[in-house]
Amino acid sequence: MNAVREVGVVVRRAKVVSPWIDHVWSPEAVLAEAPATLPGALLSRENEAELFYAGAATIELYKSETGNYRDNLIDGEPFLWVALRETPEGGVELAAVTPDPTEGESLFESGLLVGKAAMPAEIASWIAAYVDEFHVERVFLKRERDKSGPDPRKAPGARKGRKPGDGS
């Protein structure tokens, strides 16, 4: 059984001194509930940074990933990974929010802007309850190598395209 929850995301746009870009986007906060605010709404302006409401996202929990959720929760301060996609107009749109560090890494490798935000206590409790209910410890079993004989590809004198004992 998957569990689903909608959250709101606040992002920061900060000016930077660089010859290549003039600002960077990063997640500022994940809200335990999505407010009735339109995505893209300016929330505050402070010095060289602005906070925007990025919009609502759905967090979906899967039984097969409870080990990753558990590791995130017990690793000190739990995080949520927020994936953003830059728009042609210079803004960002919300792509995903996940409590799974491996999924966060995959989102980053796919080319999205990914950052971490502190996990609100209410969401941490929800995830902890899900882990308590569905986590099953899986024992890692290392495969045994077949010991029926030596690998002919690793025999002394073996060359690519030639079989040992071939004589050619």
Side-chain angles (χ1 to χ4, degrees):
M1 179 180 134
N2 298 348
V4 178
R5 180 182 188 128
E6 188 174 75
V7 296
V9 177
V10 176
V11 295
R12 173 185 294 275
R13 182 174 72 182
K15 291 188 181 199
V16 293
V17 178
S18 168
W20 299 281
I21 58 173
D22 62 353
H23 65 272
V24 293
W25 291 96
S26 61
E28 179 69 16
V30 175
L31 310 172
E33 294 184 21
T37 304
L38 292 175
L42 177 65
L43 302 176
S44 72
R45 184 174 284 136
E46 180 180 305
N47 299 327
E48 298 292 312
E50 298 170 314
L51 295 181
F52 293 90
Y53 177 64
T58 301
I59 296 176
E60 190 165 0
L61 303 179
Y62 301 93
K63 289 192 279 188
S64 60
E65 304 304 325
T66 56
N68 293 337
Y69 307 147
R70 181 199 59 204
D71 292 348
N72 184 9
L73 291 171
I74 64 173
D75 210 24
E77 182 183 355
F79 291 102
L80 292 168
W81 281 259
V82 177
L84 305 169
R85 183 180 297 111
E86 289 191 86
T87 64
E89 300 82 34
V92 291
E93 61 185 19
L94 191 54
V97 176
T98 180
D100 183 348
T102 56
E103 185 180 0
E105 183 178 347
S106 295
L107 291 167
F108 175 75
E109 289 174 354
S110 73
L112 296 170
L113 300 171
V114 178
K116 295 189 301 187
M119 185 185 295
E122 187 177 330
I123 295 174
S125 296
W126 173 68
I127 294 171
Y130 186 85
V131 169
D132 287 346
E133 184 175 350
F134 294 107
H135 183 68
V136 175
E137 200 64 44
R138 289 179 172 79
V139 178
F140 176 75
L141 297 174
K142 186 173 180 179
R143 269 188 347 176
E144 289 289 324
R145 198 177 95 211
D146 182 13
K147 296 180 183 177
S148 62
D151 186 346
R153 296 170 293 176
K154 295 181 181 174
R159 291 187 300 212
K160 192 173 186 176
R162 178 177 163 241
K163 295 179 186 164
D166 190 352
S168 54

